[in-house]
């Protein structure tokens, strides 16, 4: 595609439910990143994929968060048993090669946990 | 701990005023530095980056930034702002040759009055 695509753009869920957020990176981009931005805060790194493997998962805040990437393309971020503090914009970015030399960001998924 | 500090949360300027947004980082070793910008309703996009060489780097739309190693700073400047520069600006750092995480500041919102 022309850019990084994320879906859904908005998600409202009830506390305790599971959610899945999807990211379609730019075709051919081997590196994929997930960030979270809470209101009034900077971007918080969650996880990085190089191909289908995740060499850096250090930012995942708890074991309720997981992510996978298949076919060196689509990635899914799953949050289980959502909590109100999970409310944030979840941003996905991709880059052509390993290393964040130039990240292309999607428009994000606004997650609201009621 | 690795971190990026942006001094101003919100800057309000009139058109044609000069701009300087502060950015200081804490990161061991050689760094790569970035400024990203998010215009209203748009994706985050790269404004400029520093990897090595001339510490004064020029980006799109007349922006420039200067890397001062002794001050751990990478301030963003523009001699004369326009209304269209209204956006949120994020400074970011990563280790040179890093394959992963880009550490972002909390962002500075710039409002330019016509």
């Amino acid at each position: 595609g022309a850019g990084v695509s994320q879906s859904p753009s908005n998600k409202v869920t009830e506390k305790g439910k599971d959610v899945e957020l999807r990211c379609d990176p730019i075709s051919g981009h081997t590196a994929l990143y997930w960030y979270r931005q809470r209101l009034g805060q900077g971007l918080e790194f969650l996880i990085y994929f190089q191909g289908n493997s995740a060499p850096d998962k250090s930012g995942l805040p708890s074991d309720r968060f997981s992510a996978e990437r298949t076919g060196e393309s689509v990635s899914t971020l799953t949050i289980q048993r959502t909590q109100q503090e999970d409310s944030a914009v979840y941003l996905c970015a991709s880059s052509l090669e390993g290393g964040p030399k130039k990240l292309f960001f999607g428009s994000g998924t606004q997650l609201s946990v009621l | 701990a690795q971190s990026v500090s942006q001094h101003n949360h919100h800057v309000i300027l009139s058109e044609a005023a000069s701009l300087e947004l502060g950015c200081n980082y804490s990161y061991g070793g050689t760094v790569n530095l970035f400024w990203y910008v998010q215009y209203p309703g748009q994706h985050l996009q790269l404004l400029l980056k520093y990897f090595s060489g001339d510490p004064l780097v020029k980006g799109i739309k007349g922006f420039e930034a200067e890397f001062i190693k002794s001050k751990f700073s990478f301030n963003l400047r523009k001699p004369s702002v326009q209304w269209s520069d209204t956006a949120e600006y994020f400074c970011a750092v990563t280790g040179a040759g890093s394959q992963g995480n880009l550490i972002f500041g909390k962002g500075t919102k710039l409002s330019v009055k016509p």
Side-chain angles (χ1 to χ4, degrees):
Chain A
V4 177
S5 177
Q6 291 187 246
S7 60
S9 56
N10 281 282
K11 176 71 177 179
V12 180
T13 191
E14 294 179 350
K15 179 181 172 181
K17 295 281 180 70
D18 298 351
V19 294
E20 278 191 358
L21 312 180
R22 177 187 169 104
C23 173
D24 282 277
I26 294 172
S27 178
H29 280 197
T30 61
L32 186 148
Y33 303 79
W34 283 99
Y35 283 85
R36 175 170 74 174
Q37 186 177 23
R38 290 167 162 164
L39 192 63
Q41 302 295 312
L43 277 71
E44 176 187 3
F45 170 77
L46 298 178
I47 189 170
Y48 156 65
F49 286 93
Q50 180 58 43
N52 292 336
S53 64
D56 190 349
K57 304 180 184 180
S58 62
L60 293 177
S62 76
D63 60 7
R64 296 187 295 106
F65 287 72
S66 63
E68 64 176 17
R69 188 179 185 195
T70 55
E72 295 196 356
S73 181
V74 172
S75 176
T76 303
L77 177 69
T78 301
I79 309 173
Q80 295 179 309
R81 306 181 303 281
T82 52
Q83 303 294 313
Q84 287 184 330
E85 64 262 26
D86 300 333
S87 296
V89 176
Y90 289 82
L91 289 165
C92 176
S94 68
S95 67
L96 186 57
E97 57 195 47
K101 293 183 173 59
K102 181 174 182 178
L103 299 186
F104 292 82
F105 281 86
S107 55
T109 294
Q110 172 74 62
L111 175 66
S112 300
V113 182
L114 304 179
Chain B
Q2 300 162 352
S3 64
V4 174
S5 176
Q6 292 184 241
H7 312 305
N8 307 102
H9 177 62
H10 191 186
V11 173
I12 302 172
L13 295 173
S14 297
E15 276 194 314
S18 65
L19 170 71
E20 181 160 4
L21 301 182
C23 172
N24 286 91
Y25 65 91
S26 173
Y27 200 102
T30 306
V31 295
N32 294 333
L33 294 154
F34 306 79
W35 277 96
Y36 278 81
V37 60
Q38 187 168 27
Y39 297 102
Q42 295 189 25
H43 303 181
L44 268 165
Q45 59 185 283
L46 182 67
L47 191 59
L48 50 78
K49 62 184 186 291
Y50 170 80
F51 286 167
S52 64
D54 188 346
L56 184 63
V57 293
K58 297 190 183 298
I60 59 172
K61 303 187 181 185
F63 285 90
E64 65 180 30
E66 185 175 12
F67 170 49
I68 302 179
K69 187 175 180 180
S70 61
K71 294 185 178 181
F72 300 92
S73 70
F74 190 57
N75 291 355
L76 181 71
R77 300 195 292 248
K78 185 171 183 179
S80 175
V81 294
Q82 302 173 315
W83 176 77
S84 58
D85 294 324
T86 294
E88 191 156 15
Y89 294 81
F90 294 88
C91 182
V93 66
T94 190
S98 170
Q99 294 295 304
N101 185 11
L102 196 61
I103 299 168
F104 284 85
K106 292 185 177 182
T108 297
K109 186 175 179 181
L110 172 65
S111 299
V112 180
K113 298 183 292 184

